Short mmCIF file of all heavy atoms in Angstrom, two decimals:
data_model
loop_
_atom_site.label_atom_id
_atom_site.label_comp_id
_atom_site.label_asym_id
_atom_site.label_seq_id
_atom_site.Cartn_x
_atom_site.Cartn_y
_atom_site.Cartn_z
N THR A 1 -18.53 17.14 -8.49
CA THR A 1 -18.20 17.72 -7.19
C THR A 1 -18.96 18.95 -6.87
O THR A 1 -19.18 19.31 -5.69
CB THR A 1 -16.74 17.98 -7.06
OG1 THR A 1 -16.31 18.95 -8.03
CG2 THR A 1 -15.91 16.73 -7.12
N ARG A 2 -19.50 19.71 -7.89
CA ARG A 2 -20.22 20.88 -7.56
C ARG A 2 -21.47 20.54 -6.79
O ARG A 2 -22.15 19.48 -7.01
CB ARG A 2 -20.55 21.66 -8.81
CG ARG A 2 -21.51 21.00 -9.79
CD ARG A 2 -21.64 21.83 -11.19
NE ARG A 2 -20.38 21.74 -11.89
CZ ARG A 2 -20.21 22.27 -13.09
NH1 ARG A 2 -21.23 22.98 -13.64
NH2 ARG A 2 -19.05 22.16 -13.77
N PRO A 3 -21.97 21.39 -5.82
CA PRO A 3 -22.99 20.93 -4.88
C PRO A 3 -24.24 20.40 -5.51
O PRO A 3 -24.77 19.40 -5.06
CB PRO A 3 -23.27 22.21 -4.09
CG PRO A 3 -21.93 22.91 -4.21
CD PRO A 3 -21.32 22.68 -5.46
N ILE A 4 -24.74 21.09 -6.59
CA ILE A 4 -25.98 20.56 -7.18
C ILE A 4 -25.81 19.15 -7.76
O ILE A 4 -26.72 18.37 -7.78
CB ILE A 4 -26.54 21.51 -8.30
CG1 ILE A 4 -25.51 21.85 -9.39
CG2 ILE A 4 -26.98 22.81 -7.62
CD1 ILE A 4 -26.03 22.70 -10.53
N HIS A 5 -24.56 18.96 -8.26
CA HIS A 5 -24.41 17.57 -8.91
C HIS A 5 -24.16 16.52 -7.85
O HIS A 5 -24.59 15.40 -7.97
CB HIS A 5 -23.14 17.67 -9.83
CG HIS A 5 -23.46 18.27 -11.19
ND1 HIS A 5 -22.48 18.52 -12.17
CD2 HIS A 5 -24.65 18.81 -11.62
CE1 HIS A 5 -23.13 19.12 -13.18
NE2 HIS A 5 -24.36 19.39 -12.87
N ALA A 6 -23.37 16.91 -6.78
CA ALA A 6 -23.22 15.98 -5.71
C ALA A 6 -24.43 15.51 -5.12
O ALA A 6 -24.74 14.32 -4.81
CB ALA A 6 -22.31 16.58 -4.62
N THR A 7 -25.40 16.47 -4.88
CA THR A 7 -26.72 16.17 -4.36
C THR A 7 -27.51 15.20 -5.36
O THR A 7 -28.13 14.27 -4.94
CB THR A 7 -27.58 17.45 -4.08
OG1 THR A 7 -26.87 18.22 -3.14
CG2 THR A 7 -28.95 16.98 -3.71
N ALA A 8 -27.46 15.56 -6.56
CA ALA A 8 -28.16 14.78 -7.58
C ALA A 8 -27.60 13.33 -7.69
O ALA A 8 -28.43 12.41 -7.83
CB ALA A 8 -28.10 15.41 -8.99
N ILE A 9 -26.37 13.19 -7.64
CA ILE A 9 -25.71 11.82 -7.65
C ILE A 9 -26.23 11.02 -6.49
O ILE A 9 -26.57 9.82 -6.60
CB ILE A 9 -24.20 11.96 -7.71
CG1 ILE A 9 -23.78 12.52 -9.10
CG2 ILE A 9 -23.56 10.68 -7.49
CD1 ILE A 9 -22.34 12.80 -9.22
N ARG A 10 -26.15 11.67 -5.28
CA ARG A 10 -26.65 10.93 -4.09
C ARG A 10 -28.02 10.48 -4.19
O ARG A 10 -28.40 9.25 -3.92
CB ARG A 10 -26.41 11.84 -2.81
CG ARG A 10 -26.96 11.16 -1.53
CD ARG A 10 -26.61 12.05 -0.40
NE ARG A 10 -27.01 13.47 -0.48
CZ ARG A 10 -28.22 13.88 -0.40
NH1 ARG A 10 -29.27 13.03 -0.03
NH2 ARG A 10 -28.56 15.21 -0.54
N VAL A 11 -28.95 11.32 -4.74
CA VAL A 11 -30.36 11.01 -4.86
C VAL A 11 -30.53 9.90 -5.92
O VAL A 11 -31.26 8.94 -5.78
CB VAL A 11 -31.14 12.22 -5.18
CG1 VAL A 11 -32.61 11.79 -5.59
CG2 VAL A 11 -31.22 13.20 -4.04
N ALA A 12 -29.81 10.08 -7.08
CA ALA A 12 -29.95 9.04 -8.11
C ALA A 12 -29.50 7.76 -7.72
O ALA A 12 -30.12 6.65 -8.00
CB ALA A 12 -29.15 9.63 -9.35
N LYS A 13 -28.33 7.64 -6.97
CA LYS A 13 -27.86 6.29 -6.60
C LYS A 13 -28.87 5.70 -5.57
O LYS A 13 -29.03 4.47 -5.63
CB LYS A 13 -26.44 6.53 -5.96
CG LYS A 13 -25.40 6.79 -6.97
CD LYS A 13 -23.96 6.79 -6.24
CE LYS A 13 -22.88 7.15 -7.23
NZ LYS A 13 -21.59 7.24 -6.52
N ALA A 14 -29.40 6.47 -4.74
CA ALA A 14 -30.34 5.84 -3.77
C ALA A 14 -31.64 5.30 -4.50
O ALA A 14 -32.26 4.38 -3.94
CB ALA A 14 -30.81 6.92 -2.74
N ARG A 15 -31.93 5.77 -5.65
CA ARG A 15 -33.04 5.36 -6.38
C ARG A 15 -32.68 4.23 -7.40
O ARG A 15 -33.52 3.74 -8.22
CB ARG A 15 -33.68 6.48 -7.12
CG ARG A 15 -34.22 7.44 -6.20
CD ARG A 15 -34.67 8.84 -6.89
NE ARG A 15 -35.76 8.60 -7.76
CZ ARG A 15 -37.04 9.10 -7.52
NH1 ARG A 15 -37.30 9.68 -6.31
NH2 ARG A 15 -38.00 8.93 -8.34
N GLY A 16 -31.43 3.97 -7.53
CA GLY A 16 -30.97 2.92 -8.45
C GLY A 16 -30.89 3.44 -9.93
O GLY A 16 -30.90 2.54 -10.85
N LEU A 17 -30.71 4.65 -10.15
CA LEU A 17 -30.61 5.19 -11.46
C LEU A 17 -29.18 5.12 -11.97
O LEU A 17 -28.18 5.04 -11.19
CB LEU A 17 -31.06 6.73 -11.47
CG LEU A 17 -32.33 7.08 -10.92
CD1 LEU A 17 -32.64 8.50 -11.13
CD2 LEU A 17 -33.46 6.21 -11.51
N LYS A 18 -29.02 5.07 -13.24
CA LYS A 18 -27.65 5.16 -13.84
C LYS A 18 -27.19 6.62 -13.86
O LYS A 18 -27.99 7.50 -14.15
CB LYS A 18 -27.61 4.58 -15.34
CG LYS A 18 -27.96 3.10 -15.49
CD LYS A 18 -28.02 2.77 -16.91
CE LYS A 18 -28.32 1.31 -17.05
NZ LYS A 18 -28.46 0.91 -18.53
N VAL A 19 -25.92 6.79 -13.48
CA VAL A 19 -25.28 8.04 -13.40
C VAL A 19 -24.19 8.11 -14.42
O VAL A 19 -23.16 7.36 -14.32
CB VAL A 19 -24.81 8.44 -12.04
CG1 VAL A 19 -24.07 9.86 -11.97
CG2 VAL A 19 -25.93 8.38 -11.03
N HIS A 20 -24.28 9.03 -15.40
CA HIS A 20 -23.26 9.19 -16.46
C HIS A 20 -22.48 10.42 -16.24
O HIS A 20 -23.05 11.48 -16.27
CB HIS A 20 -23.95 9.23 -17.81
CG HIS A 20 -24.88 8.09 -18.16
ND1 HIS A 20 -24.53 6.97 -18.82
CD2 HIS A 20 -26.20 7.98 -17.83
CE1 HIS A 20 -25.60 6.15 -18.93
NE2 HIS A 20 -26.62 6.71 -18.34
N VAL A 21 -21.15 10.31 -15.97
CA VAL A 21 -20.36 11.42 -15.52
C VAL A 21 -19.36 11.71 -16.66
O VAL A 21 -18.54 10.80 -17.01
CB VAL A 21 -19.63 11.21 -14.18
CG1 VAL A 21 -18.74 12.39 -13.90
CG2 VAL A 21 -20.60 10.95 -13.12
N PHE A 22 -19.35 12.85 -17.26
CA PHE A 22 -18.37 13.41 -18.17
C PHE A 22 -17.40 14.24 -17.39
O PHE A 22 -17.71 15.02 -16.52
CB PHE A 22 -19.02 14.15 -19.28
CG PHE A 22 -19.71 13.29 -20.29
CD1 PHE A 22 -21.10 13.06 -20.08
CD2 PHE A 22 -19.11 12.75 -21.39
CE1 PHE A 22 -21.77 12.27 -20.99
CE2 PHE A 22 -19.80 11.92 -22.27
CZ PHE A 22 -21.20 11.78 -22.04
N GLU A 23 -16.18 14.23 -17.86
CA GLU A 23 -15.13 15.09 -17.32
C GLU A 23 -14.01 15.22 -18.38
O GLU A 23 -14.03 14.46 -19.36
CB GLU A 23 -14.49 14.41 -16.02
CG GLU A 23 -13.51 15.12 -15.24
CD GLU A 23 -13.97 16.55 -14.89
OE1 GLU A 23 -13.87 17.47 -15.68
OE2 GLU A 23 -14.57 16.66 -13.69
N GLU A 24 -13.15 16.18 -18.21
CA GLU A 24 -11.92 16.39 -19.08
C GLU A 24 -11.22 15.03 -19.00
O GLU A 24 -11.19 14.31 -18.07
CB GLU A 24 -11.10 17.65 -18.63
CG GLU A 24 -11.86 18.88 -18.66
CD GLU A 24 -12.29 19.32 -19.96
OE1 GLU A 24 -11.82 18.82 -20.99
OE2 GLU A 24 -13.34 20.15 -20.08
N GLY A 25 -10.55 14.73 -20.18
CA GLY A 25 -9.85 13.37 -20.26
C GLY A 25 -8.73 13.23 -19.20
O GLY A 25 -7.96 14.14 -18.92
N TYR A 26 -8.68 11.96 -18.76
CA TYR A 26 -7.46 11.54 -17.99
C TYR A 26 -6.29 11.58 -18.87
O TYR A 26 -5.12 11.84 -18.40
CB TYR A 26 -7.65 10.23 -17.31
CG TYR A 26 -8.81 10.10 -16.39
CD1 TYR A 26 -9.47 8.89 -16.28
CD2 TYR A 26 -9.17 11.06 -15.52
CE1 TYR A 26 -10.62 8.74 -15.38
CE2 TYR A 26 -10.22 11.00 -14.64
CZ TYR A 26 -10.88 9.87 -14.57
OH TYR A 26 -11.97 9.68 -13.62
N LEU A 27 -6.41 11.26 -20.06
CA LEU A 27 -5.33 11.24 -21.07
C LEU A 27 -5.62 12.42 -22.11
O LEU A 27 -6.23 12.21 -23.17
CB LEU A 27 -5.30 9.94 -21.81
CG LEU A 27 -5.05 8.71 -20.89
CD1 LEU A 27 -5.22 7.43 -21.69
CD2 LEU A 27 -3.74 8.77 -20.19
N ARG A 28 -5.31 13.58 -21.72
CA ARG A 28 -5.46 14.73 -22.61
C ARG A 28 -4.36 14.89 -23.56
O ARG A 28 -3.27 14.44 -23.30
CB ARG A 28 -5.60 15.99 -21.74
CG ARG A 28 -6.79 15.96 -20.82
CD ARG A 28 -7.02 17.26 -20.09
NE ARG A 28 -7.68 17.08 -18.76
CZ ARG A 28 -7.90 18.04 -17.93
NH1 ARG A 28 -7.46 19.23 -18.15
NH2 ARG A 28 -8.54 17.85 -16.78
N PRO A 29 -4.60 15.57 -24.68
CA PRO A 29 -5.84 16.39 -24.93
C PRO A 29 -6.73 15.70 -25.94
O PRO A 29 -7.66 16.27 -26.44
CB PRO A 29 -5.17 17.59 -25.66
CG PRO A 29 -3.96 17.05 -26.40
CD PRO A 29 -3.45 15.98 -25.53
N TYR A 30 -6.53 14.38 -26.33
CA TYR A 30 -7.15 13.86 -27.39
C TYR A 30 -8.48 13.01 -26.96
O TYR A 30 -9.17 12.39 -27.74
CB TYR A 30 -6.27 12.98 -28.24
CG TYR A 30 -5.14 13.70 -28.71
CD1 TYR A 30 -3.78 13.24 -28.40
CD2 TYR A 30 -5.24 14.91 -29.37
CE1 TYR A 30 -2.65 13.93 -28.86
CE2 TYR A 30 -4.11 15.60 -29.72
CZ TYR A 30 -2.79 15.26 -29.52
OH TYR A 30 -1.74 15.91 -29.87
N TRP A 31 -8.60 12.81 -25.64
CA TRP A 31 -9.70 11.99 -25.15
C TRP A 31 -10.49 12.74 -24.06
O TRP A 31 -9.95 13.74 -23.51
CB TRP A 31 -9.25 10.72 -24.49
CG TRP A 31 -8.60 9.75 -25.37
CD1 TRP A 31 -9.26 8.63 -25.99
CD2 TRP A 31 -7.29 9.56 -25.73
NE1 TRP A 31 -8.38 7.93 -26.67
CE2 TRP A 31 -7.11 8.42 -26.55
CE3 TRP A 31 -6.08 10.35 -25.48
CZ2 TRP A 31 -5.98 8.04 -27.14
CZ3 TRP A 31 -4.88 9.83 -26.00
CH2 TRP A 31 -4.90 8.72 -26.83
N VAL A 32 -11.78 12.42 -23.86
CA VAL A 32 -12.50 12.94 -22.69
C VAL A 32 -12.78 11.76 -21.89
O VAL A 32 -12.81 10.54 -22.27
CB VAL A 32 -13.78 13.60 -23.08
CG1 VAL A 32 -13.48 14.77 -24.09
CG2 VAL A 32 -14.84 12.68 -23.69
N THR A 33 -13.19 12.02 -20.60
CA THR A 33 -13.46 10.95 -19.62
C THR A 33 -14.99 10.69 -19.62
O THR A 33 -15.74 11.68 -19.54
CB THR A 33 -12.97 11.27 -18.24
OG1 THR A 33 -11.53 11.24 -18.32
CG2 THR A 33 -13.44 10.24 -17.25
N TYR A 34 -15.40 9.46 -19.64
CA TYR A 34 -16.91 9.00 -19.51
C TYR A 34 -16.83 7.90 -18.53
O TYR A 34 -16.24 6.84 -18.88
CB TYR A 34 -17.49 8.75 -20.81
CG TYR A 34 -18.83 7.99 -20.55
CD1 TYR A 34 -19.93 8.67 -20.13
CD2 TYR A 34 -18.92 6.62 -20.77
CE1 TYR A 34 -21.14 8.02 -19.94
CE2 TYR A 34 -20.05 5.94 -20.58
CZ TYR A 34 -21.16 6.64 -20.09
OH TYR A 34 -22.35 5.90 -19.89
N GLU A 35 -17.42 8.04 -17.38
CA GLU A 35 -17.52 6.99 -16.38
C GLU A 35 -18.92 6.89 -15.79
O GLU A 35 -19.65 7.91 -15.82
CB GLU A 35 -16.52 7.20 -15.30
CG GLU A 35 -15.07 7.05 -15.70
CD GLU A 35 -14.18 6.81 -14.51
OE1 GLU A 35 -14.05 5.61 -14.11
OE2 GLU A 35 -13.59 7.84 -14.02
N ARG A 36 -19.27 5.79 -15.30
CA ARG A 36 -20.50 5.57 -14.55
C ARG A 36 -20.19 5.99 -13.10
O ARG A 36 -19.28 5.50 -12.52
CB ARG A 36 -21.07 4.15 -14.66
CG ARG A 36 -21.41 3.79 -16.12
CD ARG A 36 -22.75 4.36 -16.55
NE ARG A 36 -23.09 3.94 -17.88
CZ ARG A 36 -23.79 2.80 -18.20
NH1 ARG A 36 -24.22 2.06 -17.27
NH2 ARG A 36 -24.09 2.59 -19.44
N ASN A 37 -21.14 6.74 -12.45
CA ASN A 37 -21.19 6.91 -10.99
C ASN A 37 -20.19 8.02 -10.42
O ASN A 37 -20.41 8.60 -9.40
CB ASN A 37 -20.99 5.63 -10.24
CG ASN A 37 -22.18 4.70 -10.55
OD1 ASN A 37 -23.28 5.13 -10.67
ND2 ASN A 37 -21.90 3.43 -10.75
N GLY A 38 -19.06 8.11 -11.12
CA GLY A 38 -18.13 9.12 -10.54
C GLY A 38 -16.81 9.21 -11.35
O GLY A 38 -16.51 8.30 -12.07
N ALA A 39 -16.11 10.34 -11.20
CA ALA A 39 -14.81 10.64 -11.94
C ALA A 39 -13.80 11.05 -10.98
O ALA A 39 -14.07 11.49 -9.83
CB ALA A 39 -14.97 11.54 -13.11
#
């Protein structure tokens, strides 16, 4: 969601690139979140 990342995701998707998004885990504290394209 931070502006530099939001811009980068928009540009990457328009070019057909894979977008790997890390985030704190949905099931904390023992996991982290890894998703393609958005979290």
Side-chain angles (χ1 to χ4, degrees):
T1 60
R2 65 188 68 177
I4 56 174
H5 286 177
T7 298
I9 291 172
R10 174 173 53 78
V11 171
K13 287 182 177 179
R15 298 167 69 102
L17 307 185
K18 292 179 184 175
V19 179
H20 307 265
V21 180
F22 286 91
E23 185 55 273
E24 302 295 338
Y26 297 146
L27 303 174
R28 299 185 201 177
Y30 307 126
W31 291 270
V32 305
T33 295
Y34 165 73
E35 292 198 82
R36 298 280 180 93
N37 298 319

